[in-house]
Amino acid sequence: MPEANGKGKRGLFLSMEGPDGAGKTTQASLLKERLENLGLEVVLTREPGGTLIGEEIRKILLNPDFQEMTVACEILLYSAARAQLVSQCIYPSLRQGFIIISDRYLDSNIVYQGFAGGEKLEIINKINMWATAQLLPDVTFLLDIDAEYGLLRLQRKGTGGANWRGDRMEQKELEFHHKVRQGFLQLASLDPGRFFVIPAGDEPEVVHEKIWGKMQELLGKNPLLFLREP
Ligand code: TYD
């Protein structure tokens, strides 16, 4: 098991969340690049995935052939990948004083399997608190986008044009994706200290500048990030 929350942690833990097609992956890369330009050490990872084991679990989770997968199975597999990521990558990086950017984290589990998938939030929360030794991000950037527009963006970007099918989660009905968006917004309203909601329908550069504004604030509060041991 990973160590108890925050023990020995000196870095900064950021997560990017949002409905499918919100542009998290693009924003995570832009942010990494900008932080690295300041000379900071940044580790970019993703969920599900980020470790060899996690990437194998990802293949199972997103395989469109596994339509019969239950929500309980989803919760446990996503959390299994997350437990491995926290222990193998996130905690060690935070202890070294790095900035971690995770493209999705446990809020996705609460929203996709809870708000949209129908499982009790309390159960998902308990499993995740155990799997991550209660490690929450310092800040979560929620890229907010209309569910239908997000899926349309993916369709435009994806191969196959109008025949685009998406992965197993992207294939869920529109109603599911609407619940995802509402779920994220609800989580954000419950924890305004951690969540920073960003309208994500604009051009990537515009969205990035909004994220960067918040980042500058955070860096100002964490001067230790600039004073790491060699
Ligand atoms: P994502 O990395 O956004 O997919 P892609 O790289 O193809 O854009 O995430 C994969 C999918 O998994 C996405 O639809 C959200 C879903 N998901 C959950 O349902 N629960 C979770 O706990 C996580 C982390 C992701």
mmCIF file of all heavy atoms in Angstrom, residues 17-21 24-25 46-48 58 61-62 74-75 78-79 82 103-113 128 154 157 167-170 176-177, ligand 1:
data_model
loop_
_atom_site.group_PDB
_atom_site.id
_atom_site.type_symbol
_atom_site.label_atom_id
_atom_site.label_comp_id
_atom_site.label_asym_id
_atom_site.label_seq_id
_atom_site.Cartn_x
_atom_site.Cartn_y
_atom_site.Cartn_z
ATOM 1 N N GLU A 17 -9.488 17.023 -15.392
ATOM 2 C CA GLU A 17 -10.708 16.222 -15.518
ATOM 3 C C GLU A 17 -11.658 16.871 -16.513
ATOM 4 O O GLU A 17 -11.481 18.042 -16.873
ATOM 5 C CB GLU A 17 -11.402 16.105 -14.152
ATOM 6 C CG GLU A 17 -10.604 15.371 -13.075
ATOM 7 C CD GLU A 17 -10.700 13.842 -13.196
ATOM 8 O OE1 GLU A 17 -11.239 13.328 -14.211
ATOM 9 O OE2 GLU A 17 -10.203 13.164 -12.281
ATOM 10 N N GLY A 18 -12.664 16.109 -16.904
ATOM 11 C CA GLY A 18 -13.684 16.661 -17.791
ATOM 12 C C GLY A 18 -14.321 15.565 -18.623
ATOM 13 O O GLY A 18 -13.809 14.447 -18.690
ATOM 14 N N PRO A 19 -15.431 15.900 -19.272
ATOM 15 C CA PRO A 19 -16.096 14.922 -20.133
ATOM 16 C C PRO A 19 -15.204 14.549 -21.318
ATOM 17 O O PRO A 19 -14.238 15.254 -21.618
ATOM 18 C CB PRO A 19 -17.339 15.668 -20.636
ATOM 19 C CG PRO A 19 -17.507 16.841 -19.739
ATOM 20 C CD PRO A 19 -16.152 17.186 -19.222
ATOM 21 N N ASP A 20 -15.543 13.459 -21.990
ATOM 22 C CA ASP A 20 -14.783 13.058 -23.178
ATOM 23 C C ASP A 20 -14.820 14.180 -24.206
ATOM 24 O O ASP A 20 -15.868 14.797 -24.438
ATOM 25 C CB ASP A 20 -15.391 11.771 -23.760
ATOM 26 C CG ASP A 20 -15.137 10.588 -22.847
ATOM 27 O OD1 ASP A 20 -14.081 9.959 -22.980
ATOM 28 O OD2 ASP A 20 -15.988 10.322 -21.967
ATOM 29 N N GLY A 21 -13.660 14.455 -24.805
ATOM 30 C CA GLY A 21 -13.590 15.488 -25.843
ATOM 31 C C GLY A 21 -13.376 16.888 -25.301
ATOM 32 O O GLY A 21 -13.418 17.860 -26.053
ATOM 33 N N LYS A 24 -8.491 17.525 -22.434
ATOM 34 C CA LYS A 24 -7.576 17.383 -21.290
ATOM 35 C C LYS A 24 -6.154 17.053 -21.712
ATOM 36 O O LYS A 24 -5.196 17.585 -21.164
ATOM 37 C CB LYS A 24 -8.006 16.243 -20.360
ATOM 38 C CG LYS A 24 -9.305 16.389 -19.697
ATOM 39 C CD LYS A 24 -9.697 15.081 -19.048
ATOM 40 C CE LYS A 24 -10.084 14.020 -20.029
ATOM 41 N NZ LYS A 24 -9.076 13.261 -20.704
ATOM 42 N N THR A 25 -6.060 16.134 -22.659
ATOM 43 C CA THR A 25 -4.729 15.646 -23.028
ATOM 44 C C THR A 25 -3.893 16.773 -23.638
ATOM 45 O O THR A 25 -2.724 16.940 -23.305
ATOM 46 C CB THR A 25 -4.872 14.450 -23.998
ATOM 47 O OG1 THR A 25 -5.809 13.540 -23.400
ATOM 48 C CG2 THR A 25 -3.564 13.740 -24.211
ATOM 49 N N ARG A 46 -1.277 9.445 -17.061
ATOM 50 C CA ARG A 46 -2.696 9.399 -17.431
ATOM 51 C C ARG A 46 -3.390 8.224 -16.758
ATOM 52 O O ARG A 46 -2.765 7.248 -16.361
ATOM 53 C CB ARG A 46 -2.855 9.284 -18.935
ATOM 54 C CG ARG A 46 -2.438 7.927 -19.494
ATOM 55 C CD ARG A 46 -2.924 7.778 -20.911
ATOM 56 N NE ARG A 46 -2.533 6.505 -21.488
ATOM 57 C CZ ARG A 46 -2.842 6.131 -22.710
ATOM 58 N NH1 ARG A 46 -3.525 6.944 -23.490
ATOM 59 N NH2 ARG A 46 -2.479 4.962 -23.175
ATOM 60 N N GLU A 47 -4.703 8.362 -16.692
ATOM 61 C CA GLU A 47 -5.536 7.312 -16.117
ATOM 62 C C GLU A 47 -6.657 6.948 -17.067
ATOM 63 O O GLU A 47 -7.243 7.865 -17.656
ATOM 64 C CB GLU A 47 -6.181 7.832 -14.835
ATOM 65 C CG GLU A 47 -5.302 7.735 -13.641
ATOM 66 C CD GLU A 47 -6.127 7.252 -12.474
ATOM 67 O OE1 GLU A 47 -7.076 6.464 -12.673
ATOM 68 O OE2 GLU A 47 -5.832 7.675 -11.383
ATOM 69 N N PRO A 48 -7.045 5.709 -17.185
ATOM 70 C CA PRO A 48 -6.300 4.589 -16.632
ATOM 71 C C PRO A 48 -5.009 4.408 -17.412
ATOM 72 O O PRO A 48 -4.985 4.643 -18.615
ATOM 73 C CB PRO A 48 -7.246 3.393 -16.822
ATOM 74 C CG PRO A 48 -8.111 3.794 -17.977
ATOM 75 C CD PRO A 48 -8.247 5.277 -17.911
ATOM 76 N N ARG A 58 -5.968 -0.686 -18.851
ATOM 77 C CA ARG A 58 -6.658 0.265 -19.749
ATOM 78 C C ARG A 58 -7.214 -0.447 -20.987
ATOM 79 O O ARG A 58 -8.331 -0.179 -21.425
ATOM 80 C CB ARG A 58 -5.669 1.368 -20.153
ATOM 81 C CG ARG A 58 -6.262 2.407 -21.093
ATOM 82 C CD ARG A 58 -5.224 3.432 -21.525
ATOM 83 N NE ARG A 58 -5.794 4.370 -22.463
ATOM 84 C CZ ARG A 58 -6.314 5.553 -22.129
ATOM 85 N NH1 ARG A 58 -6.313 5.941 -20.886
ATOM 86 N NH2 ARG A 58 -6.826 6.341 -23.048
ATOM 87 N N LEU A 61 -10.355 -2.156 -20.069
ATOM 88 C CA LEU A 61 -11.446 -1.224 -19.758
ATOM 89 C C LEU A 61 -12.045 -0.561 -20.991
ATOM 90 O O LEU A 61 -13.249 -0.311 -21.044
ATOM 91 C CB LEU A 61 -10.924 -0.144 -18.807
ATOM 92 C CG LEU A 61 -10.929 -0.542 -17.335
ATOM 93 C CD1 LEU A 61 -10.040 0.392 -16.524
ATOM 94 C CD2 LEU A 61 -12.345 -0.533 -16.774
ATOM 95 N N LEU A 62 -11.205 -0.243 -21.967
ATOM 96 C CA LEU A 62 -11.705 0.536 -23.108
ATOM 97 C C LEU A 62 -12.038 -0.321 -24.329
ATOM 98 O O LEU A 62 -12.470 0.207 -25.355
ATOM 99 C CB LEU A 62 -10.687 1.631 -23.466
ATOM 100 C CG LEU A 62 -10.386 2.620 -22.329
ATOM 101 C CD1 LEU A 62 -9.452 3.728 -22.803
ATOM 102 C CD2 LEU A 62 -11.661 3.227 -21.753
ATOM 103 N N GLU A 74 -15.871 -2.224 -13.429
ATOM 104 C CA GLU A 74 -15.214 -0.972 -13.855
ATOM 105 C C GLU A 74 -14.560 -0.262 -12.663
ATOM 106 O O GLU A 74 -13.408 0.147 -12.732
ATOM 107 C CB GLU A 74 -16.237 -0.010 -14.471
ATOM 108 C CG GLU A 74 -16.648 -0.366 -15.872
ATOM 109 C CD GLU A 74 -17.683 0.619 -16.439
ATOM 110 O OE1 GLU A 74 -18.162 1.504 -15.698
ATOM 111 O OE2 GLU A 74 -18.017 0.482 -17.625
ATOM 112 N N ILE A 75 -15.326 -0.150 -11.579
ATOM 113 C CA ILE A 75 -14.798 0.582 -10.409
ATOM 114 C C ILE A 75 -13.501 -0.062 -9.938
ATOM 115 O O ILE A 75 -12.497 0.610 -9.691
ATOM 116 C CB ILE A 75 -15.834 0.579 -9.257
ATOM 117 C CG1 ILE A 75 -17.053 1.406 -9.653
ATOM 118 C CG2 ILE A 75 -15.209 1.108 -7.952
ATOM 119 C CD1 ILE A 75 -18.244 1.246 -8.726
ATOM 120 N N TYR A 78 -10.540 0.290 -12.682
ATOM 121 C CA TYR A 78 -9.991 1.655 -12.718
ATOM 122 C C TYR A 78 -9.202 1.922 -11.431
ATOM 123 O O TYR A 78 -8.133 2.531 -11.454
ATOM 124 C CB TYR A 78 -11.111 2.695 -12.856
ATOM 125 C CG TYR A 78 -11.627 2.916 -14.269
ATOM 126 C CD1 TYR A 78 -12.933 2.578 -14.623
ATOM 127 C CD2 TYR A 78 -10.812 3.491 -15.246
ATOM 128 C CE1 TYR A 78 -13.415 2.802 -15.919
ATOM 129 C CE2 TYR A 78 -11.286 3.723 -16.532
ATOM 130 C CZ TYR A 78 -12.579 3.369 -16.865
ATOM 131 O OH TYR A 78 -13.044 3.593 -18.136
ATOM 132 N N SER A 79 -9.748 1.451 -10.303
ATOM 133 C CA SER A 79 -9.067 1.705 -9.024
ATOM 134 C C SER A 79 -7.784 0.898 -8.901
ATOM 135 O O SER A 79 -6.822 1.352 -8.269
ATOM 136 C CB SER A 79 -9.979 1.363 -7.846
ATOM 137 O OG SER A 79 -11.123 2.133 -7.919
ATOM 138 N N ARG A 82 -5.236 2.728 -10.697
ATOM 139 C CA ARG A 82 -4.911 3.939 -9.933
ATOM 140 C C ARG A 82 -4.001 3.625 -8.745
ATOM 141 O O ARG A 82 -3.056 4.364 -8.456
ATOM 142 C CB ARG A 82 -6.235 4.570 -9.457
ATOM 143 C CG ARG A 82 -6.118 5.878 -8.729
ATOM 144 C CD ARG A 82 -7.488 6.517 -8.585
ATOM 145 N NE ARG A 82 -8.100 6.692 -9.881
ATOM 146 C CZ ARG A 82 -9.252 6.131 -10.258
ATOM 147 N NH1 ARG A 82 -9.958 5.408 -9.408
ATOM 148 N NH2 ARG A 82 -9.721 6.315 -11.474
ATOM 149 N N ASP A 103 -3.667 13.131 -16.225
ATOM 150 C CA ASP A 103 -4.777 13.255 -17.165
ATOM 151 C C ASP A 103 -5.855 12.280 -16.669
ATOM 152 O O ASP A 103 -5.788 11.098 -16.947
ATOM 153 C CB ASP A 103 -4.240 12.863 -18.557
ATOM 154 C CG ASP A 103 -5.246 13.055 -19.666
ATOM 155 O OD1 ASP A 103 -6.436 13.245 -19.358
ATOM 156 O OD2 ASP A 103 -4.844 12.982 -20.839
ATOM 157 N N ARG A 104 -6.768 12.780 -15.861
ATOM 158 C CA ARG A 104 -7.788 12.067 -15.096
ATOM 159 C C ARG A 104 -7.213 11.479 -13.812
ATOM 160 O O ARG A 104 -6.049 11.101 -13.740
ATOM 161 C CB ARG A 104 -8.472 10.935 -15.877
ATOM 162 C CG ARG A 104 -9.285 11.425 -17.067
ATOM 163 C CD ARG A 104 -10.258 10.341 -17.533
ATOM 164 N NE ARG A 104 -10.956 10.729 -18.734
ATOM 165 C CZ ARG A 104 -12.021 11.531 -18.761
ATOM 166 N NH1 ARG A 104 -12.511 11.988 -17.639
ATOM 167 N NH2 ARG A 104 -12.598 11.856 -19.899
ATOM 168 N N TYR A 105 -8.104 11.379 -12.801
ATOM 169 C CA TYR A 105 -7.741 10.747 -11.528
ATOM 170 C C TYR A 105 -9.040 10.280 -10.886
ATOM 171 O O TYR A 105 -10.034 10.062 -11.595
ATOM 172 C CB TYR A 105 -6.946 11.751 -10.662
ATOM 173 C CG TYR A 105 -6.330 11.162 -9.417
ATOM 174 C CD1 TYR A 105 -5.398 10.131 -9.490
ATOM 175 C CD2 TYR A 105 -6.680 11.626 -8.140
ATOM 176 C CE1 TYR A 105 -4.827 9.597 -8.338
ATOM 177 C CE2 TYR A 105 -6.112 11.105 -6.987
ATOM 178 C CZ TYR A 105 -5.186 10.091 -7.100
ATOM 179 O OH TYR A 105 -4.621 9.567 -5.961
ATOM 180 N N LEU A 106 -9.084 10.172 -9.568
ATOM 181 C CA LEU A 106 -10.237 9.493 -8.957
ATOM 182 C C LEU A 106 -11.581 10.192 -9.143
ATOM 183 O O LEU A 106 -12.631 9.543 -9.032
ATOM 184 C CB LEU A 106 -9.981 9.192 -7.480
ATOM 185 C CG LEU A 106 -9.521 10.261 -6.508
ATOM 186 C CD1 LEU A 106 -10.590 11.282 -6.218
ATOM 187 C CD2 LEU A 106 -9.089 9.587 -5.213
ATOM 188 N N ASP A 107 -11.604 11.487 -9.434
ATOM 189 C CA ASP A 107 -12.901 12.142 -9.673
ATOM 190 C C ASP A 107 -13.621 11.514 -10.862
ATOM 191 O O ASP A 107 -14.850 11.442 -10.877
ATOM 192 C CB ASP A 107 -12.709 13.646 -9.912
ATOM 193 C CG ASP A 107 -12.098 14.333 -8.700
ATOM 194 O OD1 ASP A 107 -12.677 14.212 -7.605
ATOM 195 O OD2 ASP A 107 -11.039 14.953 -8.843
ATOM 196 N N SER A 108 -12.860 11.045 -11.855
ATOM 197 C CA SER A 108 -13.489 10.375 -13.004
ATOM 198 C C SER A 108 -14.233 9.121 -12.552
ATOM 199 O O SER A 108 -15.300 8.802 -13.072
ATOM 200 C CB SER A 108 -12.437 9.955 -14.044
ATOM 201 O OG SER A 108 -12.094 11.051 -14.854
ATOM 202 N N ASN A 109 -13.663 8.410 -11.579
ATOM 203 C CA ASN A 109 -14.308 7.200 -11.079
ATOM 204 C C ASN A 109 -15.652 7.533 -10.413
ATOM 205 O O ASN A 109 -16.660 6.874 -10.637
ATOM 206 C CB ASN A 109 -13.363 6.534 -10.061
ATOM 207 C CG ASN A 109 -13.427 5.018 -10.070
ATOM 208 O OD1 ASN A 109 -13.409 4.388 -9.019
ATOM 209 N ND2 ASN A 109 -13.517 4.419 -11.228
ATOM 210 N N ILE A 110 -15.639 8.602 -9.617
ATOM 211 C CA ILE A 110 -16.856 9.009 -8.904
ATOM 212 C C ILE A 110 -17.917 9.466 -9.902
ATOM 213 O O ILE A 110 -19.098 9.148 -9.776
ATOM 214 C CB ILE A 110 -16.522 10.110 -7.875
ATOM 215 C CG1 ILE A 110 -15.636 9.483 -6.787
ATOM 216 C CG2 ILE A 110 -17.767 10.723 -7.268
ATOM 217 C CD1 ILE A 110 -14.977 10.465 -5.867
ATOM 218 N N VAL A 111 -17.477 10.172 -10.934
ATOM 219 C CA VAL A 111 -18.431 10.727 -11.887
ATOM 220 C C VAL A 111 -18.926 9.670 -12.892
ATOM 221 O O VAL A 111 -20.134 9.490 -13.069
ATOM 222 C CB VAL A 111 -17.793 11.936 -12.612
ATOM 223 C CG1 VAL A 111 -18.603 12.323 -13.827
ATOM 224 C CG2 VAL A 111 -17.689 13.114 -11.657
ATOM 225 N N TYR A 112 -18.001 8.971 -13.545
ATOM 226 C CA TYR A 112 -18.415 8.015 -14.590
ATOM 227 C C TYR A 112 -19.140 6.795 -13.996
ATOM 228 O O TYR A 112 -20.139 6.351 -14.538
ATOM 229 C CB TYR A 112 -17.207 7.542 -15.420
ATOM 230 C CG TYR A 112 -16.791 8.512 -16.491
ATOM 231 C CD1 TYR A 112 -16.008 9.626 -16.185
ATOM 232 C CD2 TYR A 112 -17.175 8.341 -17.821
ATOM 233 C CE1 TYR A 112 -15.615 10.531 -17.166
ATOM 234 C CE2 TYR A 112 -16.788 9.235 -18.812
ATOM 235 C CZ TYR A 112 -16.015 10.329 -18.486
ATOM 236 O OH TYR A 112 -15.640 11.221 -19.460
ATOM 237 N N GLN A 113 -18.590 6.238 -12.897
ATOM 238 C CA GLN A 113 -19.212 5.029 -12.354
ATOM 239 C C GLN A 113 -20.297 5.360 -11.325
ATOM 240 O O GLN A 113 -21.180 4.561 -11.082
ATOM 241 C CB GLN A 113 -18.140 4.120 -11.713
ATOM 242 C CG GLN A 113 -17.338 3.286 -12.703
ATOM 243 C CD GLN A 113 -16.468 4.088 -13.652
ATOM 244 O OE1 GLN A 113 -15.667 4.915 -13.225
ATOM 245 N NE2 GLN A 113 -16.635 3.873 -14.952
ATOM 246 N N ASN A 128 -11.664 4.140 -3.408
ATOM 247 C CA ASN A 128 -10.603 5.021 -3.911
ATOM 248 C C ASN A 128 -9.714 5.566 -2.798
ATOM 249 O O ASN A 128 -8.501 5.707 -2.982
ATOM 250 C CB ASN A 128 -11.215 6.175 -4.708
ATOM 251 C CG ASN A 128 -11.396 5.790 -6.158
ATOM 252 O OD1 ASN A 128 -10.421 5.756 -6.902
ATOM 253 N ND2 ASN A 128 -12.608 5.463 -6.543
ATOM 254 N N LEU A 154 -14.507 14.697 -30.681
ATOM 255 C CA LEU A 154 -13.783 13.425 -30.778
ATOM 256 C C LEU A 154 -14.022 12.782 -32.137
ATOM 257 O O LEU A 154 -13.126 12.230 -32.755
ATOM 258 C CB LEU A 154 -14.247 12.456 -29.692
ATOM 259 C CG LEU A 154 -13.775 12.751 -28.277
ATOM 260 C CD1 LEU A 154 -14.293 11.689 -27.320
ATOM 261 C CD2 LEU A 154 -12.253 12.804 -28.206
ATOM 262 N N LYS A 157 -11.995 14.451 -34.709
ATOM 263 C CA LYS A 157 -10.578 14.156 -34.537
ATOM 264 C C LYS A 157 -10.271 12.701 -34.901
ATOM 265 O O LYS A 157 -9.188 12.369 -35.357
ATOM 266 C CB LYS A 157 -10.214 14.376 -33.062
ATOM 267 C CG LYS A 157 -8.861 14.982 -32.828
ATOM 268 C CD LYS A 157 -8.640 15.277 -31.352
ATOM 269 C CE LYS A 157 -8.667 14.037 -30.479
ATOM 270 N NZ LYS A 157 -8.458 14.274 -29.067
ATOM 271 N N ASP A 167 -14.089 4.550 -28.040
ATOM 272 C CA ASP A 167 -13.810 3.410 -27.167
ATOM 273 C C ASP A 167 -15.069 3.022 -26.404
ATOM 274 O O ASP A 167 -16.126 3.630 -26.577
ATOM 275 C CB ASP A 167 -12.588 3.689 -26.262
ATOM 276 C CG ASP A 167 -12.848 4.822 -25.267
ATOM 277 O OD1 ASP A 167 -13.986 4.949 -24.782
ATOM 278 O OD2 ASP A 167 -11.902 5.581 -24.978
ATOM 279 N N ARG A 168 -14.944 2.016 -25.512
ATOM 280 C CA ARG A 168 -16.142 1.482 -24.848
ATOM 281 C C ARG A 168 -16.886 2.561 -24.042
ATOM 282 O O ARG A 168 -18.120 2.589 -24.034
ATOM 283 C CB ARG A 168 -15.733 0.320 -23.929
ATOM 284 C CG ARG A 168 -16.899 -0.562 -23.477
ATOM 285 C CD ARG A 168 -16.416 -1.669 -22.566
ATOM 286 N NE ARG A 168 -15.753 -1.146 -21.385
ATOM 287 C CZ ARG A 168 -16.385 -0.754 -20.284
ATOM 288 N NH1 ARG A 168 -17.691 -0.859 -20.204
ATOM 289 N NH2 ARG A 168 -15.707 -0.261 -19.259
ATOM 290 N N MET A 169 -16.143 3.471 -23.401
ATOM 291 C CA MET A 169 -16.812 4.500 -22.609
ATOM 292 C C MET A 169 -17.422 5.582 -23.515
ATOM 293 O O MET A 169 -18.532 6.058 -23.273
ATOM 294 C CB MET A 169 -15.834 5.152 -21.614
ATOM 295 C CG MET A 169 -15.231 4.203 -20.608
ATOM 296 S SD MET A 169 -16.440 3.264 -19.664
ATOM 297 C CE MET A 169 -17.102 4.496 -18.567
ATOM 298 N N GLU A 170 -16.681 5.946 -24.553
ATOM 299 C CA GLU A 170 -17.180 6.989 -25.465
ATOM 300 C C GLU A 170 -18.452 6.544 -26.187
ATOM 301 O O GLU A 170 -19.258 7.366 -26.608
ATOM 302 C CB GLU A 170 -16.084 7.347 -26.479
ATOM 303 C CG GLU A 170 -14.934 8.138 -25.847
ATOM 304 C CD GLU A 170 -13.634 8.093 -26.650
ATOM 305 O OE1 GLU A 170 -13.585 7.400 -27.682
ATOM 306 O OE2 GLU A 170 -12.667 8.731 -26.234
ATOM 307 N N PHE A 176 -25.775 9.411 -20.767
ATOM 308 C CA PHE A 176 -24.670 9.068 -19.864
ATOM 309 C C PHE A 176 -23.666 10.226 -19.815
ATOM 310 O O PHE A 176 -23.235 10.657 -18.749
ATOM 311 C CB PHE A 176 -23.996 7.776 -20.357
ATOM 312 C CG PHE A 176 -22.839 7.308 -19.514
ATOM 313 C CD1 PHE A 176 -23.033 6.400 -18.470
ATOM 314 C CD2 PHE A 176 -21.537 7.756 -19.759
ATOM 315 C CE1 PHE A 176 -21.967 5.963 -17.689
ATOM 316 C CE2 PHE A 176 -20.466 7.321 -18.983
ATOM 317 C CZ PHE A 176 -20.680 6.421 -17.950
ATOM 318 N N HIS A 177 -23.317 10.746 -20.979
ATOM 319 C CA HIS A 177 -22.320 11.819 -21.046
ATOM 320 C C HIS A 177 -22.851 13.125 -20.443
ATOM 321 O O HIS A 177 -22.088 13.904 -19.875
ATOM 322 C CB HIS A 177 -21.843 12.004 -22.496
ATOM 323 C CG HIS A 177 -21.061 10.816 -22.991
ATOM 324 N ND1 HIS A 177 -19.750 10.597 -22.664
ATOM 325 C CD2 HIS A 177 -21.430 9.759 -23.757
ATOM 326 C CE1 HIS A 177 -19.330 9.467 -23.213
ATOM 327 N NE2 HIS A 177 -20.335 8.939 -23.890
HETATM 328 P P1 TYD B 1 -9.426 9.103 -21.485
HETATM 329 O O1 TYD B 1 -7.998 9.004 -21.085
HETATM 330 O O2 TYD B 1 -10.080 10.422 -21.389
HETATM 331 O O3 TYD B 1 -9.607 8.499 -22.938
HETATM 332 P P2 TYD B 1 -8.942 9.040 -24.288
HETATM 333 O O4 TYD B 1 -7.467 9.104 -24.072
HETATM 334 O O5 TYD B 1 -9.392 8.006 -25.258
HETATM 335 O O6 TYD B 1 -9.545 10.397 -24.519
HETATM 336 O O7 TYD B 1 -10.223 8.127 -20.509
HETATM 337 C C1 TYD B 1 -10.664 6.897 -20.824
HETATM 338 C C2 TYD B 1 -12.124 6.728 -20.488
HETATM 339 O O8 TYD B 1 -12.269 6.127 -19.191
HETATM 340 C C3 TYD B 1 -12.936 8.001 -20.451
HETATM 341 O O9 TYD B 1 -14.130 7.784 -21.182
HETATM 342 C C4 TYD B 1 -13.289 8.182 -18.999
HETATM 343 C C5 TYD B 1 -13.266 6.792 -18.445
HETATM 344 N N1 TYD B 1 -12.936 6.677 -17.003
HETATM 345 C C6 TYD B 1 -13.863 6.135 -16.122
HETATM 346 O O10 TYD B 1 -14.987 5.785 -16.536
HETATM 347 N N2 TYD B 1 -13.525 5.974 -14.810
HETATM 348 C C7 TYD B 1 -12.290 6.327 -14.316
HETATM 349 O O11 TYD B 1 -12.012 6.149 -13.115
HETATM 350 C C8 TYD B 1 -11.337 6.894 -15.248
HETATM 351 C C9 TYD B 1 -9.966 7.288 -14.771
HETATM 352 C C10 TYD B 1 -11.694 7.049 -16.584
#
